[in-house]
Amino acid sequence: MIETLVPLDPKPGFYNVGTTYQAKGRWFRGSLVRFFQGALQPLGGWTQQALTGVTIIGVPRAMTAYQQFDGTFVTVVGTTGGLYAIVHNLGAGTRTVFDITPNTGYAKLASYITATGGPNDTLTWSLSQFGNYVVATYQFEGPPASLGSGAGGGNCVIWDGNVAHIAAYPSAHAPLTVLASVVTPEKFVVALGGVDPYGVLTASGQPDVRLVWWASQATTDTWVPSDTNSAGSFSLASQGTLKAGLPFRGQTLLWTTRDLWSMTYIGQPLIYSFQQIGMECGIISSHAFVGTSNAAFWMGINHFFRYDGYVSPIPCDVSDYVFGNMNASYQWKIWALHNAEFTEVTWYYVSTTATEIDSYVTFNYAENHWVFGNLSRTAGVTAQVPGLIPVLTDAAGTFWNHETGTSKGGASTYCESGPVEIAQGDQLVRIQRIVPDDQTLGDVILTL
């Protein structure tokens, strides 16, 4: 019998829209795999980091990593139990955890941490680096959507980079009930949403969910505008609620639940101009965005979006699966990570069968394809300097070096295709051998 080699070459990425048969000749589903440079390969493994110092309490929700002026590498982590700084001693190879949670005059935060706890509380953080400082805004997300007790804005605090100090409220004049914060390319600390404690910019006790408020340039404590400083504010003409900000290509992008705005520095007297650059492209959560050197990516309510000078929806071959498999009650937990080495943006979310993050979806923006899978990670950074290794943490507060080795803690790595039709008619086919072409680091089990 003459042997004929028949190529089975599904294009990279998953296709999971509609029925299984619609994925004919395509990869249909899988987990912990990627397609890179046209080849199917497993994700890199992960190894646990060893931490000393205080115990991190709560579920990590935000992380930022940076190098201080004296060369010290620091990672700041915001959890449902507080704010922590991890200091790296490169010589000794150790990582020491310090508790920098604000505790003076923060009755609402302290009582919230004490009374709530657990994986489903709604305390989260916005973290931005400002020289040696870290701007840390705690806020309350999730249902209810109002700014009442247990949900809505918190306070913007500043940590000076000294582990002997805790984060502190910058000024009596700083805004309250802040929804998020960001540091612009021009070194302005910006609070999104808020209440003027003196009732000048907002009615006393009444938050403006569209108010953009910035301190005077290169300061963290000068928030009241005057002729001698550059502090100011602007209320967006939007129908949405401010959620997040990102410095990007000489401007600052501001997301609301409905649209996208550009905040551009123009100098005195107005300091900043504001332009709506995208409509009906609101963000799904305050951490569901990333910025790369060429574009910003984010997840909306039912679509993914890109901004590279223009806002455009990203066609998604797995949208039915992802948005149909998402627990809408915990959308506020969604967060995103950029893996520059593999040109990937990954969103982590809660599936319909869970209450904590257990799933992910990844877009390769250079090769334009999608994959998804199962993995429980609640926060992370692209690189915990020094090095380019992504560092992610789970709900238990365990930190993992990713793309390291091959061990995945017993997690299942697999990839399944849709139906494969070799030919039509009544011919019989007997498979005698398979000639694989994949990039794996271990045994492969093939099932037909």
Side-chain angles (χ1 to χ4, degrees):
M1 181 178 181
I2 299 177
E3 184 180 86
T4 302
L5 292 178
V6 177
L8 303 179
D9 189 22
K11 63 185 296 187
F14 294 172
Y15 186 89
N16 201 302
V17 178
T19 67
T20 305
Y21 187 72
Q22 286 178 277
K24 177 180 65 175
R26 297 285 303 272
W27 295 106
F28 182 60
R29 59 189 171 193
S31 185
L32 303 181
V33 298
R34 65 163 49 99
F35 296 85
F36 186 63
Q37 297 178 345
L40 171 64
Q41 57 182 272
L43 296 185
W46 47 82
T47 59
Q48 183 176 344
Q49 285 189 355
L51 301 177
T52 61
V54 303
T55 301
I56 293 177
I57 298 173
V59 180
R61 294 294 181 205
M63 290 174 60
T64 187
Y66 70 106
Q67 186 176 19
Q68 295 184 335
F69 295 151
D70 64 359
T72 303
F73 293 99
V74 178
T75 300
V76 176
V77 184
T79 78
T80 56
L83 189 66
Y84 300 88
I86 304 174
V87 177
H88 304 256
N89 186 326
L90 299 183
T94 59
R95 299 177 177 88
T96 306
V97 182
F98 297 87
D99 189 344
I100 58 171
T101 307
N103 59 17
T104 303
Y106 295 93
K108 183 177 182 181
L109 176 61
S111 63
Y112 187 89
I113 291 175
T114 301
T116 308
N120 296 326
D121 53 35
T122 65
L123 176 63
T124 187
W125 299 79
S126 291
L127 302 175
S128 301
Q129 183 256 332
F130 183 67
N132 259 9
Y133 291 13
V134 170
V135 181
T137 301
Y138 70 86
Q139 66 262 22
F140 304 92
E141 296 220 45
S146 67
L147 295 179
S149 175
N155 287 350
C156 178
V157 297
I158 307 296
W159 180 58
D160 64 6
N162 187 337
V163 295
H165 301 159
I166 62 173
Y169 194 51
S171 166
H173 297 272
L176 306 173
T177 321
V178 179
L179 301 176
S181 59
V182 64
V183 176
T184 72
E186 302 79 32
K187 296 302 178 185
F188 285 84
V189 177
V190 179
L192 305 180
V195 173
D196 182 350
Y198 290 88
V200 177
L201 297 179
T202 64
S204 180
Q206 296 297 316
D208 181 348
V209 296
R210 288 173 281 277
L211 179 66
V212 182
W213 190 349
W214 58 92
S216 188
Q217 189 173 28
T219 73
T220 61
D221 57 358
T222 305
W223 294 85
V224 178
S226 75
D227 293 339
T228 60
N229 67 41
S230 52
S233 65
F234 185 85
S235 188
L236 302 180
S238 171
Q239 294 179 325
T241 297
L242 279 161
K243 297 293 289 184
L246 172 71
F248 179 74
R249 288 185 177 179
Q251 62 185 322
T252 302
L253 301 179
L254 303 176
W255 281 276
T256 79
T257 53
R258 294 289 298 273
D259 45 19
L260 177 66
W261 289 73
S262 172
M263 178 179 180
T264 306
Y265 181 72
I266 58 174
Q268 293 286 0
L270 299 178
I271 311 299
Y272 279 100
S273 69
F274 294 84
Q275 180 182 4
Q276 185 187 54
I277 55 177
M279 299 178 61
E280 303 307 327
C281 59
I283 198 167
I284 197 169
S285 77
S286 61
H287 296 296
F289 67 94
V290 300
T292 72
S293 58
N294 296 316
F297 300 88
W298 68 99
M299 181 191 288
I301 300 300
N302 291 304
H303 299 281
F304 296 91
F305 295 92
R306 177 200 332 247
Y307 174 74
D308 53 7
Y310 300 93
V311 173
S312 57
I314 306 172
C316 180
D317 290 338
V318 298
S319 58
D320 282 7
Y321 176 86
V322 172
F323 292 105
N325 186 46
M326 186 179 295
N327 191 331
S329 297
Y330 300 102
Q331 290 177 346
W332 55 270
K333 295 185 178 184
I334 297 171
W335 68 283
L337 182 74
H338 178 217
N339 189 335
E341 180 180 1
F342 295 98
T343 61
E344 295 173 341
V345 177
T346 299
W347 288 268
Y348 294 85
Y349 65 94
V350 182
S351 73
T352 54
T353 60
T355 58
E356 187 52 86
I357 291 174
D358 63 343
S359 302
Y360 70 88
V361 56
T362 297
F363 175 55
N364 186 312
Y365 55 84
E367 301 179 18
N368 200 35
H369 53 67
W370 297 80
V371 295
F372 55 77
N374 302 110
L375 185 62
S376 177
R377 295 292 185 265
T378 62
V381 288
T382 297
Q384 191 180 54
V385 287
L388 295 176
I389 299 173
V391 176
L392 284 71
T393 179
D394 58 24
T398 304
F399 287 73
W400 303 93
N401 294 324
H402 275 248
E403 306 296 343
T404 304
T406 60
S407 174
K408 298 183 179 66
S412 176
T413 301
Y414 75 97
C415 191
E416 178 183 338
S417 75
V420 176
E421 295 181 352
I422 297 176
Q424 295 181 347
D426 57 358
Q427 301 179 62
L428 298 178
V429 176
R430 181 175 64 183
I431 297 175
Q432 293 181 302
R433 62 176 177 146
I434 299 291
V435 183
D437 179 23
D438 57 354
Q439 294 184 7
T440 58
L441 298 173
D443 294 336
V444 175
I445 298 175
L446 176 67
T447 302
L448 300 177

